[in-house]
Amino acid sequence: MDAERLRRYLEFYQDLGIKTLYRRPGIGGQGPGAGGQGPGIVEQGAGAGESLFDILTDIGDCRRCRLHEGRTKIVFGVGNEHAPLVFVGEGPGADEDAQGIPFVGRAGQLLTQMIENTAKKEGIPLRREDVYICNVVKCRPPENRTPEADEMEICGQFLNRQLAAIQPKAICVLGGTAVRALLGQKEGVTKLRGRWFRWRDIPVMVTYHPSYLLRAYNVEPKREAWEDLKKLLHFVYD
Ligand code: URA
């Protein structure tokens, strides 16, 4: 990569809130498979030991699926590259597409509150920037529709690589799309929430997507989501 492109990538990465970058020499984004397949999306071409920066570089100005046609910005992920906890949503909405940062709209504000308020109540010093937040697809689907199978398959490779690079202690899967992508489960979130699963060797907690919780009538799911988060935060931070 030439110096100018590298400078632009670094700037982009810093805009996402990533303050520390690690570049491991000799490992490119196109390296040989890291081995091991996720139960959801089948792995392709992840370089062993790669960093988030390597993955972002590989994504580049992505045109691998039709979602690139309507996007303003690629929404890669935000937060601590070494976070022990990663939240995975579905895909960017309008606010995220405009800013290039996941979960900054109404659902995102609810997610932030849920993380920070639950942690505070439980006596865990934790801010949004301490965790890592990303989505299954990195470009906004038109009209906020659910990502299609091929889009999830193509973009899910990058999600798998992000998780493999971060190696968190646990993953929180938000809603049905992320459940299908990471766990390959067809069952609804209502059945799966509050339970532990595994993505490779990493424990996964399933809970409701914050957009679902924003619907006024969803009082009980809201209470359940707080329970799920409590369980998750104690597992990760106790
Ligand atoms: N919904 C998601 O799934 N992800 C976002 O980033 C925002 C809303």
Side-chain angles (χ1 to χ4, degrees):
M1 187 179 341
D2 65 39
E4 176 54 23
R5 264 188 90 202
L6 179 61
R7 190 191 60 73
R8 275 190 278 122
Y9 275 123
L10 286 169
E11 236 174 53
F12 176 66
Y13 217 71
Q14 276 163 358
D15 284 348
L16 296 180
I18 308 290
K19 296 194 183 74
T20 316
L21 295 170
Y22 297 86
R23 184 88 171 98
R24 295 186 179 91
I27 298 171
Q30 308 274 11
Q37 297 196 339
I41 294 157
V42 178
E43 188 72 4
Q44 280 174 3
E50 66 183 350
S51 68
L52 291 182
F53 179 75
D54 294 321
I55 302 161
L56 183 64
T57 305
D58 190 19
I59 289 178
D61 182 24
C62 185
R63 284 149 198 266
R64 292 168 178 86
C65 84
R66 66 186 83 79
L67 291 183
H68 82 273
E69 290 163 12
R71 75 159 180 250
T72 308
K73 288 189 175 168
I74 291 175
V75 180
F76 180 66
V78 72
N80 175 2
E81 172 152 16
H82 304 288
L85 178 55
V86 176
F87 288 83
V88 180
E90 177 176 300
D95 296 306
E96 292 76 18
D97 176 63
Q99 295 185 44
I101 303 171
F103 283 101
V104 288
R106 277 184 73 220
Q109 285 161 25
L110 177 60
L111 178 65
T112 305
Q113 272 176 29
M114 287 171 64
I115 296 168
E116 296 192 348
N117 294 351
T118 311
K120 195 169 175 197
K121 262 198 193 152
E122 297 302 305
I124 300 164
L126 183 70
R127 306 302 309 261
R128 171 182 160 116
E129 55 266 31
D130 299 325
V131 302
Y132 190 82
I133 302 174
C134 59
N135 285 305
V136 175
V137 295
K138 314 300 188 208
C139 296
R140 182 191 181 197
E143 318 289 329
N144 297 335
R145 66 156 169 75
T146 306
E148 289 175 5
D150 60 330
E151 296 157 357
M152 284 170 60
E153 188 65 39
I154 293 165
C155 212
Q157 308 299 327
F158 298 113
L159 172 64
N160 283 349
R161 288 166 62 183
Q162 283 172 296
L163 295 172
I166 297 169
Q167 286 290 317
K169 186 169 172 189
I171 299 165
C172 184
V173 156
L174 303 165
T177 298
V179 164
R180 283 188 291 284
L182 287 182
L183 303 177
Q185 292 259 359
K186 298 243 158 40
E187 200 101 63
V189 174
T190 315
K191 286 252 170 66
L192 303 174
R193 61 144 287 271
R195 288 163 50 192
W196 289 107
F197 295 86
R198 275 185 188 268
W199 178 83
R200 303 191 186 162
D201 285 340
I202 302 174
V204 173
M205 168 65 66
V206 173
T207 196
Y208 297 107
H209 192 286
S211 302
Y212 177 71
L213 300 175
L214 280 173
R215 294 177 213 159
Y217 54 85
N218 287 322
V219 177
E220 181 60 10
K222 212 165 185 174
R223 192 196 58 73
E224 291 172 334
W226 286 81
E227 289 299 318
D228 302 342
L229 262 187
K230 243 196 279 184
K231 203 191 277 187
L232 175 70
L233 293 183
H234 282 296
F235 171 78
V236 175
Y237 293 101
D238 279 357

